[in-house]
């Protein structure tokens, strides 16, 4: 069986030695595990996007949803209600 070049190690004499190659991550994970990792990564990215968007828009939300008062108090109310 011919090994892919990225899995072979170069020997001191310049030749490739497939016996020293480490298996790739795809060989360890099943397709079900790979799909689960991709789903978790996508969910994590969406959660961080949501967190950043809320942090960016929190001052505007505090002015829209709470009566005119001290801006710090309105911002704390925003974090308590929406956070």
């Amino acid at each position: 069986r011919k090994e892919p070049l990225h899995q072979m190690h170069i020997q001191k004499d310049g030749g490739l030695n497939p016996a020293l190659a480490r298996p790739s991550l795809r060989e360890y994970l099943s397709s079900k595990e790979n799909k689960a990792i991709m789903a978790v990564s996508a969910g994590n990215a969406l959660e961080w996007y949501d967190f950043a968007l809320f942090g960016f828009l929190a001052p505007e939300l505090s002015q829209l949803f709470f009566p005119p008062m001290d801006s710090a108090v309105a911002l704390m109310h925003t974090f308590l209600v929406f956070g």
Side-chain angles (χ1 to χ4, degrees):
R1 172 179 140 196
K2 193 169 184 172
E3 296 290 330
L5 287 178
H6 70 277
Q7 291 183 350
M8 295 185 178
H9 287 140
I10 298 175
Q11 297 176 347
K12 291 181 182 179
D13 63 356
L16 297 176
N17 185 359
L20 296 177
R22 289 181 282 170
S24 68
L25 187 59
R26 289 182 187 213
E27 292 177 20
Y28 283 121
L29 298 176
S30 67
S31 66
K32 201 174 200 181
E33 291 170 327
N34 196 17
K35 286 179 185 178
I37 289 172
M38 294 304 289
V40 167
S41 298
N44 192 19
L46 285 173
E47 188 66 32
W48 276 104
Y49 172 75
D50 178 44
F51 180 71
L53 189 64
F54 173 71
F56 181 74
L57 294 177
E60 276 49 302
L61 291 173
S62 68
Q63 292 174 1
L64 291 173
F65 286 99
F66 296 104
M69 60 175 96
D70 184 20
S71 62
V73 173
L75 188 59
M76 285 192 280
H77 283 147
T78 303
F79 288 136
L80 288 171
V81 171
F82 296 109

